[in-house]
């Protein structure tokens, strides 16, 4: 009504329909409109308003047409006067609202204190009080908004005057809020604020209730649910790689407790990668209705939380924990059988769960293909059901490797895409580890990269990135991987020898596995595999760094990549391909590692292929069909690792004396006829493997004289090494690992010098007349076949063994020959030894023999 009045005045003064020819008349009309406006905003009664609008300076006779308008205004004045009050008394009403709200806050603090005390003694606040506290909190926020709006000036006409209409609306809302505050003050009188027995807790409903129909999710959820009802498990660690669905599962668990009274309270705490103990305390305190003061330090908060939590049965869910913290310092009583409380931790790192002393570890695994397909269809829509799109869509889902984060992201990105070409392009991008698919980089790679960023140092990060050089879904042998890190690539620093480097490499592997960036292989504990999306992540990371990778492993290439793709790359992996010829000369000024292994059809390499690779250090040509090595190989003066194992068509090798930096040389399982020339010049050589070769002659004396040699493998040569010749091995002062086949045991084992030297080895496999092609069972193994006479001093060879294998020794009657020196033995096999009558005569060896034995196999011993 007020707005209509003001607008009417405005129309009367501005209307171009009035036939105004007298300038004085127009001036009088303007004065009248101004007087009318002042009357509207200044008076309440109709009488005073009527007097105000009677302007003696205006000749109303000349404005007879205004009469009806004035009469209308007077008729509606009664309701209008009430509206004018919102504007006239705005300042007073705001001040009154402020005082009333402060009184309401005082009342809330008093009631909250009563509630807190009641809860501390095991009671539960009544629902009416709960609702009232929430209403007060909401209205306090609304009042703050009104006060801020009041303090902010509102103008119109480019700041020329106050915007009265805006102030009028604000005044109306202030009056309404005054009434709400008065109502709440009247309500805030309760007979009791808490009651017994306890009622089911008021839980926070976590958003986006997940779909857990998938069997994997149901399986894991059921396992978590059982642990929460098992008194043996106080702290439960739920771990898995990023995006695997840990948070989603725990949201479902949180919501599942709604309506139950199993816990007095369930508290959800989002931690994130930046651990802030104070923020954790704030989140827990908020759920407990504890109001922390601005001046309270962490110790005071700790004490208040501890007092409250020790009297309630709680479930605390710590979501996305990246770093362990002390429960005591946070103020959280440790869960035990007595208080029956629980803490669930979700983390990408099993090491964090360990550090939090979890009683139970539950790994969240990837979805099966069927589960992944169903989840993908939810995001992508019905378009994937068409006969043209579905085959490509299923391949797209396979590239997501059961990771819910990727499945949902790609599904949303492909929603409604009806052209097959678009789907095939998405498949190409996913296969190429490229974030071309819309939002893939932002919603998948960047969240996953947090796990990589959180690795402790560049040493571990390099080891992780290296794993992407293997093909998708490849079962990577742990020993091979650690050897690559520690020995070949030289990632491992601050070590003195290969053994220390290997030990540290195994430790790094465990750290990467703990961060859920590598997982246990399908073939057992000796293998690991890299999730496809994590492999894509690693390749993506290298593409944006100075250490760029070119990875085409396992893609079935029949031709090498174009030469322009080689330039600027640091590591290239073309392993497991079908390349037949390398007839290119790529310019690779930065190339350090080149993996051509498992190209079984590769026959020829251009003579100048290596000419433009001045920095190349690692060259793996193992398991290829090459028949000869190109001369340009000798230009690789920085080469440290050369692997030619399983080169079954390679019968001759170039003289290697020019490769002065060579540290690793693997010629095992090749068909080389002659031992390479120039080996004596390789003074930096640390590891040599010539096992299962066909050399007509082996210069053992020259090998034993290599000053840096730490690992030697001469297993199953064409002619086994004579025992006396092997005795010269004592000259290898730095040797720590030995694998060798002997024709006999005579000539050396009786010497004290040999015993001292042999006891210093950390890994050995000595085979006497062994014809089996199997690798050693353990780090320290002795295998003796068809040996009827055991020379004096045999106990010096076997006393350090962890595994002993005896086969076909007809002259052996018992193991008492070895006396009490088998105390370290964990595995013993005695097979086809027809002369054996007893394994051990305790009267001869004493009762401390075999004290570490774990495995005993006795087979075909007719006289036992």
């Amino acid at each position: 009504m007020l707005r209509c009045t003001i607008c009417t005045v405005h129309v009367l003064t501005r209307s171009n329909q009035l036939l105004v020819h007298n300038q004085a008349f127009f001036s009088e009309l303007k004065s009248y409109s101004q007087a009318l406006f002042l009357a509207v905003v200044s008076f309440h009664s109709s009488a005073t308003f009527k007097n105000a609008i009677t302007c003696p300076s205006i000749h109303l006779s000349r404005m007879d047409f205004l009469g009806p308008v004035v009469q209308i205004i007077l008729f509606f004045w009664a309701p209008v006067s009430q509206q004018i009050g919102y504007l006239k008394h705005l300042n007073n009403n705001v001040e009154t609202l402020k005082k009333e709200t402060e009184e309401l806050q005082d009342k809330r603090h008093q009631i909250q204190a009563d509630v807190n005390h009641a809860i501390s003694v095991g009671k539960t606040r009544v629902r009416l009080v709960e609702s009232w506290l929430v209403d007060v909190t909401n209205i306090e926020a609304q009042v703050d908004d009104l006060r801020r709006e009041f303090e902010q000036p509102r103008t119109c006409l480019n700041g020329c005057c106050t915007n009265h209409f805006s102030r009028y609306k604000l005044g109306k809302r202030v009056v309404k809020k005054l009434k709400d505050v008065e109502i709440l003050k009247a309500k805030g009188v309760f007979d009791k604020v808490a009651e017994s027995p306890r009622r089911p807790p008021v839980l926070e409903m976590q958003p986006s209730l997940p779909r857990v129909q998938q069997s994997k999710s149901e399986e894991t959820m059921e396992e978590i649910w059982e642990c929460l009802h098992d008194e043996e498990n106080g702290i439960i660690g739920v771990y898995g790689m990023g995006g695997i669905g840990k948070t989603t599962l725990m949201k479902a668990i949180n919501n599942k407790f709604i309506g139950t009274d199993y816990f007095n309270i369930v508290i959800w705490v989002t931690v994130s990668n930046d651990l802030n103990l104070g923020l954790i305390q704030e989140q827990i305190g908020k759920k407990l209705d504890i109001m922390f003061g601005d001046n309270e330090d962490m110790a005071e908060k700790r004490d208040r939380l501890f007092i409250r939590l020790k009297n309630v049965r709680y479930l605390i869910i710590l979501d996305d924990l990246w770093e362990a913290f002390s429960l005591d310092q946070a103020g959280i009583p440790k869960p035990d059988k007595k208080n029956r409380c629980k803490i669930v931790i979700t983390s990408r790192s099993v090491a964090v769960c360990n550090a939090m002393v979890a009683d139970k570890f539950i790994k969240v695994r990837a979805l099966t293909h069927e589960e992944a397909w169903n989840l993908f269809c939810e995001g992508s829509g019905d378009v994937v059901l068409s006969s043209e799109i579905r085959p490509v869509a299923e391949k797209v889902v396979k590239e997501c490797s059961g990771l819910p984060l990727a499945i949902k992201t790609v599904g949303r990105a492909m929603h409604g895409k009806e052209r097959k070409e678009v789907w095939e392009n998405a498949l190409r991008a996913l296969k190429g580890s490229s974030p071309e698919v819309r939002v893939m980089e932002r919603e998948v790679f960047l969240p996953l990269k947090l796990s990589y960023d959180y690795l402790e140092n560049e040493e571990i990060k390099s080891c992780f990135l290296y794993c992407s050089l293997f093909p998708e879904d490849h079962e990577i042998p742990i020993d091979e991987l650690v050897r690559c890190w520690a020995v070949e690539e030289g990632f491992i620093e601050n070590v003195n020898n290969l053994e220390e480097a290997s030990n540290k490499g195994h430790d790094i592997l465990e750290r990467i596995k703990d961060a859920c960036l590598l997982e246990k292989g399908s073939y057992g504990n000796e293998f690991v595999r890299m999730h496809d999306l994590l492999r894509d992540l690693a390749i993506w990371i290298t593409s944006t760094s100075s250490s760029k990778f070119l990875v085409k492993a396992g893609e079935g290439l029949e031709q090498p990549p174009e030469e322009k793709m080689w330039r600027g790359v640091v590591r290239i992996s073309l392993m497991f391909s079908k390349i037949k010829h390398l007839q290119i000369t790529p310019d690779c000024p930065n190339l350090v590692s080149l993996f051509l292994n498992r190209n079984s059809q590769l026959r020829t390499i251009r003579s100048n292929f290596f000419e433009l690779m001045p920095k190349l250090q690692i060259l793996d040509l193992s398991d290829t069909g090459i028949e000869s090595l190109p001369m340009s190989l000798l230009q690789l003066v920085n080469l440290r690792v050369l692997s030619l194992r399983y080169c079954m068509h390679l019968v001759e090798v170039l003289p290697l004396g020019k490769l002065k930096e060579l540290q690793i040389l693997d010629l095992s399982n090749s068909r080389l006829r002659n031992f390479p020339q120039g080996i004596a010049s390789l003074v930096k050589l640390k590891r040599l493997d010539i096992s299962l070769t066909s050399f007509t002659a082996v210069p053992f004396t020259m090998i034993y004289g290599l000053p840096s040699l730490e690992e030697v493998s001469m297993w199953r040569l064409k002619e086994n090494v004579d025992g006396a010749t092997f005795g010269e091995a004592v000259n290898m002062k730095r040797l720590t690992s030995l694998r060798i086949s002997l024709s006999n045991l005579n000539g050396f084992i009786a010497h004290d010098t040999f015993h001292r030297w042999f006891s210093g080895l950390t890994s050995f496999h000595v085979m006497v007349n062994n014809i089996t092609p199997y690798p050693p069972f353990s780090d320290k193994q002795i295998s003796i076949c068809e040996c009827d006479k055991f020379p004096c001093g045999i106990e010096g060879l076997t006393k350090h063994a962890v595994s002993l294998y005896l086969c076909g020794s007809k002259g052996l009657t018992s193991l008492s020959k070895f006396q009490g020196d088998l105390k370290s033995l964990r595995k013993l096999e005695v097979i086809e030894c027809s002369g054996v009558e007893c394994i051990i005569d305790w009267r001869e060896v004493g009762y401390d023999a075999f004290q570490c034995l774990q495995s005993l196999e006795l087979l075909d011993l007719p006289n036992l």
Side-chain angles (χ1 to χ4, degrees), residues 171-386:
K172 190 174 183 179
R173 286 158 52 206
V174 168
V175 171
K176 183 178 183 302
K177 201 54 61 183
L178 262 172
K179 294 179 180 177
D180 293 341
V181 171
E182 291 172 358
I183 291 172
L184 279 177
K185 283 177 64 179
K187 279 185 177 180
V189 179
F190 303 100
D191 295 333
K192 59 180 179 178
V193 296
E195 61 187 1
S196 296
R198 301 184 182 102
R199 294 184 178 182
V202 178
L203 299 180
E204 176 183 349
M205 172 71 80
Q206 291 296 324
S208 303
L209 184 64
R211 297 177 61 86
V212 289
Q213 289 84 352
Q214 295 93 350
S215 60
K216 283 283 184 186
S217 299
E218 285 182 338
E219 239 174 71
T220 309
M221 187 172 173
E222 185 62 31
E223 187 177 1
I224 298 171
W225 186 260
E226 289 178 1
C227 287
L228 290 172
H229 291 77
D230 182 358
E231 293 185 359
E232 297 297 323
N233 303 308
I235 302 178
I236 302 159
V238 178
Y239 69 98
M241 65 178 285
I244 204 71
K246 304 180 294 296
T247 300
T248 300
L249 277 172
M250 289 315 303
K251 285 179 180 178
I253 293 286
N254 177 91
N255 297 341
K256 195 172 180 181
F257 276 111
I258 293 177
T260 71
D261 58 358
Y262 193 75
F263 293 104
N264 301 132
I265 190 166
V266 177
I267 302 173
W268 181 284
V269 179
T270 301
V271 186
S272 79
N273 61 320
D274 186 15
L275 181 65
N276 186 328
L277 202 57
L279 186 58
I280 293 175
Q281 291 176 321
E282 292 284 348
Q283 292 186 65
I284 297 175
K286 184 178 179 181
K287 300 299 188 302
L288 295 170
D289 291 322
I290 298 177
M291 303 298 293
F292 292 126
D294 295 337
N295 298 324
E296 282 190 89
D297 59 23
M298 288 178 55
E300 292 172 319
K301 294 176 182 178
R302 174 198 64 201
D303 295 339
R304 292 183 64 185
L305 288 176
F306 190 87
I307 292 172
R308 180 69 57 81
L309 287 172
K310 74 175 183 179
N311 292 309
V312 296
R313 186 180 180 194
Y314 65 79
L315 165 62
I316 296 178
I317 301 170
L318 297 169
D319 184 47
D320 200 19
L321 187 65
W322 290 75
E323 184 180 343
F325 66 91
S326 168
L327 295 179
D328 291 337
Q329 290 181 5
I332 304 173
K334 187 177 180 181
D336 54 35
K337 291 182 180 180
K338 185 177 179 180
N339 59 31
R340 299 169 64 203
C341 296
K342 304 287 183 183
I343 294 176
V344 179
I345 299 161
T346 73
S347 179
R348 299 187 189 188
S349 171
V350 70
V352 170
C353 299
N354 257 322
M356 293 296 291
V357 199
D359 301 301
K360 179 74 174 179
F361 297 85
I362 299 174
K363 184 173 183 178
V364 181
R365 303 185 182 276
L367 303 178
T368 65
H369 181 71
E370 181 181 358
E371 296 161 358
W373 174 254
N374 293 334
L375 183 60
F376 184 78
C377 291
E378 291 180 15
S380 58
D382 295 338
V383 65
V384 297
L385 301 179
S386 73

Side-chain angles (χ1 to χ4, degrees), residues 55 60 87 101 246 262 331 366 383 423 457 469 503 520 538 599 601 617 712 772 818:
C55 183
L60 292 177
L87 182 60
T101 306
K246 304 180 294 296
Y262 193 75
V383 65
W423 282 87
N457 52 53
L469 295 170
N503 292 341
K520 178 182 173 182
N599 276 269
Q601 300 180 39
Q617 297 179 17
V712 172
T772 61
F818 305 128

Side-chain angles (χ1 to χ4, degrees), residues 640-779:
R640 295 193 301 108
V641 178
L642 176 61
S643 179
L644 299 171
R645 67 180 183 273
Y646 286 104
C647 289
M648 309 301 288
H649 298 275
L650 187 66
V651 294
E652 296 292 340
V653 68
L654 298 168
L656 302 177
K658 292 185 179 180
L659 305 179
K660 303 293 186 182
E661 297 297 319
L662 203 63
Q663 298 181 25
I664 313 295
L665 179 60
D666 191 343
L667 305 174
S668 62
N669 290 275
S670 64
R671 292 293 178 266
L672 294 174
R673 297 170 184 166
N674 299 313
F675 195 82
Q677 297 179 18
I679 292 291
S681 300
L682 306 181
V683 294
K684 293 186 178 181
L685 197 66
K686 295 181 179 179
R687 181 173 181 268
L688 175 66
D689 193 343
I690 57 172
S691 298
L692 287 162
T693 53
S694 302
F695 296 139
T696 54
V698 178
F700 296 108
T701 301
M702 183 187 68
I703 293 174
Y704 297 150
L706 290 171
S708 301
L709 214 53
E710 297 180 26
E711 297 181 9
V712 172
S713 182
M714 296 185 288
W715 180 44
R716 287 200 64 199
L717 300 178
K718 186 175 182 180
E719 294 293 336
N720 284 339
V721 185
D722 181 82
T725 304
F726 175 56
E728 298 179 22
V730 297
N731 296 319
M732 293 187 285
K733 304 300 181 182
R734 300 189 63 178
L735 195 71
T736 59
S737 177
L738 174 69
R739 291 176 65 192
I740 194 166
S741 297
L742 299 175
S743 57
N744 58 71
L745 287 170
N746 298 318
F748 67 95
I749 62 174
H751 301 300
D752 292 340
T753 303
F754 171 79
H755 291 167
R756 289 194 299 271
W757 172 82
F758 193 77
S759 65
L761 297 179
T762 57
S763 174
F764 59 79
H765 187 198
V766 178
M767 294 163 281
V768 181
N769 297 324
N770 198 335
I771 59 174
T772 61
Y774 305 116
F777 302 111
S778 67
D779 289 339

Side-chain angles (χ1 to χ4, degrees), residues 459-471 474-492 501-513 517-521 525-530 549 575 595 597 618 620 645 687:
E459 190 177 42
I460 301 177
K461 290 179 180 178
S462 296
C463 291
F464 164 73
L465 295 177
Y466 184 88
C467 297
S468 66
L469 295 170
F470 294 90
H474 186 67
E475 297 281 327
I476 309 173
I478 289 177
D479 287 341
E480 177 184 344
L481 181 61
V482 170
R483 186 178 68 247
C484 290
W485 291 346
V487 181
E488 298 180 3
E489 292 286 352
F491 291 147
I492 313 300
S502 178
N503 292 341
K504 189 173 180 180
H506 280 281
D507 180 68
I508 287 175
L509 179 66
E510 290 303 311
R511 292 171 188 263
I512 297 175
K513 287 170 64 178
L517 291 174
L518 284 176
E519 53 192 40
K520 178 182 173 182
N525 293 326
E526 301 305 315
F527 296 84
V528 291
R529 65 179 294 272
M530 194 177 204
F549 289 8
M575 61 177 77
F595 299 94
N597 47 306
I618 317 294
D620 193 341
R645 67 180 183 273
R687 181 173 181 268

Side-chain angles (χ1 to χ4, degrees), residues 544-556:
T544 60
S545 71
S546 57
S547 300
K548 188 176 181 180
F549 289 8
L550 172 60
V551 183
K552 298 293 180 182
E555 296 183 13

